[in-house]
Amino acid sequence: MTLLSRRKKRSKRRQKSIKRVAKSHLKVANQRKDFHYKTAIWLLTKSPVIAHENLNIKGLAKSMLAKSVTDAGWGQFLQILNTKAASAGCLVVGVNPRGTSQEFSDCGAIVSKTLSLLHTRDNTEITTCY
């Protein structure tokens, strides 16, 4: 692969490199969009009501997670999900993200976690729902 920055400006090789890079970016964007559509349709076939965290995507895109957030295309996925849900007659609900990582999905029990516990991979403290 050729480096675009190494090419002389206004040269024919630079123009070819620009087209090559644009083509690869377009391919990745199309793959991401296809995945979003397929995932949205799969979710809508599983349940008539879908809840998601109502995150501030623009704020996250300016933080340390910027590359991950923009790479995944969260905003695009939510837009596709809402559009597909409206056409299928399903409901998509945005939920306040405050405390959602501390709530068990099985029983709804809330276990308060410190910030250090959230960042460790091996949580030795295991809580079960009864």
Side-chain angles (χ1 to χ4, degrees):
M1 180 148 166
T2 59
L3 291 175
L4 185 60
S5 61
R6 297 277 185 175
R7 301 288 179 216
K8 287 185 179 177
K9 297 210 175 179
R10 297 189 210 131
S11 69
K12 199 162 194 131
R13 284 187 180 180
R14 184 178 175 91
Q15 295 304 317
K16 286 182 183 179
S17 294
I18 288 172
K19 285 183 181 179
R20 235 181 268 129
V21 169
K23 189 175 178 182
S24 64
H25 281 282
L26 183 65
K27 183 179 178 183
V28 170
N30 287 339
Q31 286 176 335
R32 185 183 304 119
K33 196 171 188 178
D34 181 54
F35 175 74
H36 288 164
Y37 272 105
K38 288 178 180 176
T39 305
I41 291 168
W42 180 80
L43 283 172
L44 292 171
T45 58
K46 294 291 180 188
S47 176
V49 179
I50 297 173
H52 65 84
E53 289 185 359
N54 198 10
L55 297 172
N56 179 11
I57 297 171
K58 285 185 180 178
L60 286 172
K62 295 177 184 175
S63 69
M64 288 173 36
L65 301 171
K67 193 167 187 175
S68 301
V69 170
T70 54
D71 247 1
W74 289 355
Q76 182 186 37
F77 174 68
L78 291 177
Q79 186 179 13
I80 290 170
L81 183 65
N82 286 325
T83 306
K84 286 292 181 185
S87 66
C90 296
L91 182 65
V92 176
V93 181
V95 179
N96 186 6
R98 186 176 189 98
T100 53
S101 61
Q102 297 179 0
E103 185 176 319
F104 280 101
S105 60
D106 295 340
C107 61
I110 296 176
V111 179
S112 61
K113 299 176 186 173
T114 61
L115 196 58
S116 62
L117 265 179
L118 290 173
H119 285 290
T120 57
R121 285 190 180 255
D122 54 337
N123 290 342
T124 54
E125 204 176 305
I126 299 173
T127 309
T128 56
C129 297
Y130 295 107

